[in-house]
Amino acid sequence: MKRNLKLILSYDGTEFSGWQVQPESATVQGALATAIGRVTGEKVLPQGSGRTDAGVHALAQVVTFVTESSVPTENFLKALNDVLPATVRVLDVTEVRAEFHARHSARAKTYRYRIYCGSICPPFLARYVWHYPYPLDEEAMAVAAPLVVGEKDFTSFAAVDPERGKDGEPVSNVRTIFSSAWERREDELVYTVRGSGFLHHMVRNLVGTFILVGRGTLLGSDIARIIEAKKRSAAGATAPASGLYLVSVEY
């Protein structure tokens, strides 16, 4: 009997070439597929809620795959963690209805971006933040953040993704942002954004644009103009991958 299993996965993305399996490269999907194969003897390609980029981390990535294995879910969790690299941990395994799909069933996602503002970044933190020890107008950034909330065409914040549309899905750059906010947490400036979905590099490009607001290069009022332009060149540079985390996925 086939079973549809849902995993909650946490990983340090620093040494992976992103989520999606690639030839000759270490990826999270590839590592998980290998681990599942060792546990069940099956060749499966687990499906994630989205494709995190190289160097991006996840606190709770959601994954589904179909198996004919009768291994109990609690044993699956232990067995997978025994064979996965230490930088990838399965936090939970549950059996779900057959039609549930990690990506297609998702209704909202939350991402967080961490900027370390201190003059010297602790070495054990460097893999998990963007070290930016320069003056920023944090109040201006906080005021600008909500200006991206709503249903909008985010072409200006999207990298070209050659994989889009290949699986027959309609291509649209329209997404709905439910919340967008900056906050100071001790030596870190943290951006949290929740939306219906995100385009390739979208969160990192939003962060790069808000940094320009913090530097005074852009005004908060420029955000609407950038969105309206629908041109990648209108927005800021892409922030480094190290500071980005997939926090949660909602269904």
Side-chain angles (χ1 to χ4, degrees), residues 12 36 44 49 80 86 121 129 144 149 175 185 217 229 231:
D12 174 347
I36 293 170
V44 301
S49 68
L80 288 174
C121 184
V129 296
V149 170
R175 297 290 186 273
R185 298 183 183 177
T217 306
K231 291 182 180 178

Side-chain angles (χ1 to χ4, degrees), residues 43-134:
K43 187 175 182 179
V44 301
L45 189 63
Q47 299 298 308
S49 68
R51 303 194 305 262
T52 51
D53 295 329
V56 174
H57 318 293
L59 303 183
Q61 169 74 284
V62 178
V63 180
T64 49
F65 70 96
V66 175
T67 179
E68 294 184 359
S69 170
S70 60
V71 175
T73 53
E74 59 270 22
N75 292 358
F76 242 118
L77 186 148
K78 295 175 183 176
L80 288 174
N81 283 332
D82 280 345
V83 295
L84 280 165
T87 50
V88 182
R89 294 291 88 181
V90 178
L91 306 180
D92 187 59
V93 181
T94 53
E95 190 167 344
V96 292
R97 63 188 187 279
E99 62 270 21
F100 182 88
H101 189 279
R103 181 161 58 94
H104 300 313
S105 302
R107 292 292 174 264
K109 296 177 184 176
T110 298
Y111 279 90
R112 181 174 299 140
Y113 196 95
R114 296 168 58 188
I115 296 176
Y116 187 81
C117 303
S119 59
I120 300 173
C121 184
F124 302 111
L125 194 60
R127 292 159 60 107
Y128 308 111
V129 296
W130 176 15
H131 184 210
Y132 194 91
Y134 310 108

